[in-house]
Amino acid sequence: AQSVAQPEDQVNVAEGNPLTVKCTYSVSGNPYLFWYVQYPNRGLQFLLKYITGDNLVKGSYGFEAEFNKSQTSFHLKKPSALVSDSALYFCAVRATGFQKLVFGTGTRLLVSP
Amino acid sequence: DVKVTQSSRYLVKRTGEKVFLECVQDMDHENMFWYRQDPGLGLRLIYFSYDVKMKEKGDIPEGYSVSREKKERFSLILESASTNQTSMYLCASREQRINEKLLFGSGTQLSVL
């Protein structure tokens, strides 16, 4: 079975500092990994995905994520946080051959001025 | 802009009512999905459809049904609404290629009283 863990309910960071939002996964076979962001009263927006190839994936709004197969992790990162990055972030995984995308429970990111 | 449109942003219904949530996409996508989002539980898949008149159960199909008579429209039906179905409902669509990202609607916040 596929599963995703986001161990932190909330991450607090000061504007200008680097941020990391953690995600670990469990699948059989090769994973397809995604990050989505949800702003207040909005649907989810796609940020980035890892399918194959380079372990460092760059996405929208200056975000990037690093795929680490040995640690089964796909942490979301940004070198310098903005107040406008404050939102709810979801990691998701799909296993090879499966249609279903499984989401984590979400991590709320709060960036203070 | 391509988009996924959910017919209602907020909906209030009474216990026992039959409820229809509508979702329309204008991208000619084959795959469509219904998720519900609850605090601390993340997104959970209710049903998905990979083609017209085709459907598959997700992780929590009990108490729900779906209809896909046309490619662009995917309806979620609560046969007899209950208070534990109070939630945010998110519709998404995706191209047939399995590595493609999901595109989400803005969501319907359903309250069952």
Side-chain angles (χ1 to χ4, degrees):
Chain A
Q2 309 161 192
S3 67
V4 173
Q6 293 183 244
E8 302 154 316
D9 290 335
Q10 184 165 306
V11 170
N12 297 304
V13 65
E15 188 173 32
N17 284 357
L19 69 88
T20 298
V21 182
K22 295 180 180 177
C23 171
T24 58
Y25 66 90
S26 175
V27 293
S28 300
N30 293 323
Y32 302 131
L33 294 153
F34 300 77
W35 275 102
Y36 288 82
V37 59
Q38 185 179 37
Y39 298 102
N41 301 312
R42 302 285 296 278
L44 273 69
Q45 297 179 30
F46 170 79
L47 274 180
L48 51 79
K49 66 180 178 182
Y50 171 83
I51 304 301
T52 187
D54 195 346
N55 289 345
L56 185 63
V57 178
K58 295 189 183 297
S60 307
Y61 312 122
F63 283 94
E64 58 189 26
E66 186 167 13
F67 170 65
N68 187 318
K69 189 172 184 178
S70 63
Q71 297 185 6
T72 61
S73 67
F74 190 56
H75 300 331
L76 182 69
K77 299 181 180 184
K78 188 173 182 182
S80 179
L82 300 172
V83 172
S84 57
D85 292 330
S86 298
L88 189 55
Y89 290 81
F90 289 96
C91 181
V93 66
R94 179 188 302 123
T96 308
F98 285 83
Q99 289 272 11
K100 195 169 70 172
L101 190 62
V102 174
F103 284 82
T105 53
T107 298
R108 187 163 301 282
L109 174 66
L110 288 178
V111 182
S112 55
Chain B
D1 264 355
V2 293
K3 57 184 177 182
V4 177
T5 302
Q6 294 183 231
S7 55
S8 303
R9 183 71 184 88
Y10 298 97
L11 211 52
V12 180
K13 297 292 182 180
R14 297 215 174 269
T15 303
E17 279 192 73
K18 190 169 186 176
V19 181
F20 293 85
L21 301 183
E22 305 288 345
C23 176
V24 176
Q25 50 97 0
D26 62 1
M27 296 160 284
D28 203 36
H29 285 171
E30 291 84 2
N31 301 156
M32 295 188 75
F33 304 79
W34 276 106
Y35 287 87
R36 64 177 280 179
Q37 180 182 1
D38 299 288
L41 298 177
L43 275 72
R44 293 177 292 168
L45 182 63
I46 305 171
Y47 266 97
F48 66 99
S49 168
Y50 45 89
D51 205 345
V52 175
K53 297 189 187 293
M54 308 297 281
K55 61 185 179 184
E56 279 200 29
K57 294 179 180 179
D59 297 318
I60 51 164
E62 297 79 18
Y64 303 95
S65 62
V66 290
S67 171
R68 192 160 181 208
E69 297 296 319
K70 294 185 178 182
K71 194 175 185 180
E72 67 270 19
R73 186 180 297 270
F74 190 35
S75 303
L76 180 69
I77 304 157
L78 285 67
E79 297 291 343
S80 178
S82 63
T83 55
N84 62 14
Q85 292 178 311
T86 291
S87 185
M88 169 68 81
Y89 290 87
L90 293 168
C91 175
S93 72
R94 185 185 69 200
E95 290 181 21
Q96 184 62 30
R97 289 177 298 170
I98 200 166
N99 297 335
E100 286 303 309
K101 60 183 183 285
L102 293 179
L103 290 171
F104 282 87
S106 296
T108 296
Q109 179 63 51
L110 173 67
S111 296
V112 183
L113 305 178

